[in-house]
Amino acid sequence: MSLVPSLSCLSLALLVSTPAAAMSDAELAAKLGQRLHGDRTGACLAVAVVEDGTVARAYGCADPAAEPRVGPGTAVEIGSVSKTMVAALAAREIEAGRASLDDTLASWLPEGTRVPDFEGKPILLRHVLTHTGGLPALPPGVAIADPSNPYAGMRAADLHAALGRVTLSRAPGTAFEYSNFALMLLSEALARRAGQPVEALLDAHVFSPLGMAGAYLDDRPEGVQAARGHAPNRNVVPAWTFRDDTGGVGGVRATLDDMVAYVQGQLGGAPADLQPLLDLTQAPAWTGGRPEMGMGWIIAPLNGRRVHVHEGGTGGFTSMVVFDRQAGRGVVVLSDTALHSLGGLGSLGLHLLDPAVPLGVPRREATAPGELLDALAGEYQLQGAMKMSVRRKQDALEIQAEGQPPFAMGYDSAGDFYPLAFDAVLRPVPQPDGSLAFVWLQGGGAVPAQRLPEHGARP
């Protein structure tokens, strides 16, 4: 259910950087194969490197013998990278004098909407665009009827009502806390203020000016094929849908060439009337902590430089856009498989931007050591959730959550266990007393598990 980027770039150590030469298609394909071939997820990727007026492109799958599922005419869900495009629409309002970063969020919402504040300090448009307003990730009290398509039932009225259930724990602008809720509100507000659907606004002011002919939210252009998304267990998953103009939070679908055009615009190649808007979204809008934020863009340190980055993830797709404006180099990585629970696309994308960053290796299916299986076996309590039994079954693990059937687990070369039937990760974690427990990763969350005493009493 997550649209949260992995933000893996924010923890990179400084390395000795070497200048990156312009890359050929063949060189890029070799890099992609080195990172992807044999990966247990079965993912297929489309990748591009933009530099000095040249573009290298490559398409490939974890199984090199498989027919690529993503090609030049295939549009994928780019998830939260959509937020940077909605930021450009907000920048248009600011440049035209119709808005300011210091507008209150309340002034963008229907009259009478209750918007929380903290000791009289309101949430501003600046806070919404930089994820520093203190709003939660999702609207509280709004039920998710279908976890496989979690945003489909959320209406604008539900979002406005949910604001009345929020209590801020700190002043807006004091800390970064990623909020899809906030950007859904902004997406809907932009459409309402303009009297046009958000898709029409994006098409008129972002897609068409940049030549992104295959980009869309709901109205798929002729000749563009919608990719099918996959969970990392290789199962096909449904596409995500959004209602009431909230799709700017993560609903854009685009081809690789569309995203190449988007990066070229970010590097200074946009039309004269659009370039100032893209430049404004890149300018620092919040510098009160980590990460530094532009309007929608994360501004991250990388080997002594500052790069702009955003990752995206939906139920069946992962995406990454990262560019170094000063060096004139940008990278797009699109995957038809949800990889955010496995760390996303950061290592590949950042390596292509700067070869000093390690490329990473594929996660291959492996056999877990017997001593690891024995050490993990036991009864656990997931924090704030259910109990879970972990059992050794021959040379593998089996898990069974309270009130649920048992599930067989696979194991990969990164040291993680994963259910064969659905998308989650069981990551072993050594404990101070020398025993093992684990963290359960699912739906964008990380839930620690605590081992229960042998008699089963809750600690």
Side-chain angles (χ1 to χ4, degrees):
M1 291 182 284
S2 175
L3 280 169
V4 179
S6 71
L7 309 186
S8 56
C9 59
L10 302 181
S11 59
L12 283 178
L14 295 181
L15 303 167
V16 178
S17 181
T18 56
M23 187 174 289
S24 69
D25 289 356
E27 290 170 331
L28 181 56
K31 290 283 188 184
L32 177 58
Q34 185 180 342
R35 170 60 185 85
L36 185 62
H37 288 170
D39 197 276
R40 56 100 166 164
T41 64
C44 292
L45 270 63
V47 185
V49 177
V50 181
E51 186 178 26
D52 294 335
T54 67
V55 180
R57 299 172 179 83
Y59 303 87
C61 295
D63 179 357
E67 185 71 23
R69 300 185 298 244
V70 180
T74 311
V76 307
E77 297 176 10
I78 65 169
S80 286
V81 179
S82 308
K83 294 178 172 69
T84 66
M85 300 173 182
V86 165
L89 297 182
R92 178 173 174 268
E93 296 296 294
I94 293 169
E95 283 287 296
R98 296 187 292 265
S100 162
L101 281 173
D102 294 320
D103 286 351
T104 63
L105 172 59
S107 69
W108 280 63
L109 299 176
E111 186 175 355
T113 304
R114 181 192 175 278
V115 182
D117 61 25
F118 184 84
E119 298 178 354
K121 296 179 180 178
I123 300 172
L124 306 179
L125 179 61
R126 178 187 309 276
H127 304 142
V128 171
L129 285 161
T130 59
H131 300 282
T132 58
L135 293 179
L138 294 173
V142 179
I144 296 175
D146 181 4
S148 68
N149 191 10
Y151 294 86
M154 296 185 184
R155 308 302 300 260
D158 299 328
L159 305 183
H160 299 153
L163 280 169
R165 295 188 283 270
V166 174
T167 300
L168 300 185
S169 60
R170 56 179 174 266
T174 56
F176 177 90
E177 184 177 356
Y178 199 85
S179 175
N180 289 317
F181 180 20
L183 268 293
M184 293 174 79
L185 290 167
L186 177 60
S187 177
E188 186 274 335
L190 282 161
R192 183 166 27 80
R193 284 166 65 104
Q196 292 182 273
V198 72
E199 180 161 24
L201 293 175
L202 286 168
D203 184 54
H205 305 299
V206 180
F207 301 159
S208 291
L210 290 173
M212 299 171 62
Y216 68 102
L217 269 76
D218 299 307
D219 189 10
R220 178 163 52 91
E222 186 176 352
V224 174
Q225 180 180 359
R228 294 199 302 175
H230 300 77
N233 61 1
R234 306 190 181 211
N235 289 344
V236 174
V237 299
W240 278 9
T241 55
F242 299 84
R243 304 285 293 277
D244 293 353
D245 292 308
T246 62
V249 70
V252 172
R253 297 162 171 85
T255 68
L256 181 63
D257 277 350
D258 293 330
M259 298 310 295
V260 165
Y262 188 57
V263 169
Q264 289 171 328
Q266 298 294 341
L267 292 174
D273 56 345
L274 178 57
Q275 194 65 59
L277 310 185
L278 301 184
D279 293 345
L280 182 57
T281 66
Q282 296 175 25
W286 183 73
T287 57
R290 294 286 299 275
E292 184 179 354
M293 289 293 300
M295 292 170 58
W297 288 108
I298 297 159
I299 305 172
L302 179 64
N303 295 331
R305 308 176 73 88
R306 294 163 78 246
V307 302
H308 290 74
V309 61
H310 213 299
E311 294 183 73
T314 63
F317 297 89
T318 316
S319 64
M320 182 180 191
V321 170
V322 59
F323 60 91
D324 182 338
R325 181 72 181 266
Q326 184 179 355
R329 187 179 180 94
V331 173
V332 177
V333 186
L334 306 175
S335 167
D336 74 347
T337 300
L339 302 174
H340 25 284
S341 64
L342 306 179
L345 299 165
S347 65
L348 174 60
L350 292 170
H351 174 81
L352 295 175
L353 189 72
D354 184 340
V357 179
L359 173 61
V361 295
R363 286 175 175 255
R364 302 181 186 277
E365 295 178 357
T367 300
E371 57 269 24
L372 177 60
L373 301 176
D374 292 335
L376 279 169
E379 302 294 318
Y380 294 86
Q381 175 71 50
L382 271 63
Q383 188 177 71
M386 74 290 267
K387 293 180 181 179
M388 182 182 288
S389 298
V390 178
R391 298 183 285 266
R392 178 172 181 173
K393 192 168 184 180
Q394 297 180 344
D395 291 330
L397 278 189
E398 179 182 80
I399 61 167
Q400 185 169 14
E402 197 171 28
Q404 297 183 17
F407 291 98
M409 304 288 283
Y411 181 72
D412 65 28
S413 55
D416 287 336
F417 293 88
Y418 55 95
L420 301 179
F422 59 94
D423 179 17
V425 168
L426 185 156
R427 181 162 296 160
V429 178
Q431 302 300 295
D433 63 1
S435 66
L436 271 182
F438 62 88
V439 172
W440 183 256
L441 305 170
Q442 188 176 11
V447 182
Q450 185 175 6
R451 186 184 291 270
L452 295 170
E454 289 186 9
H455 56 76
R458 184 168 180 158

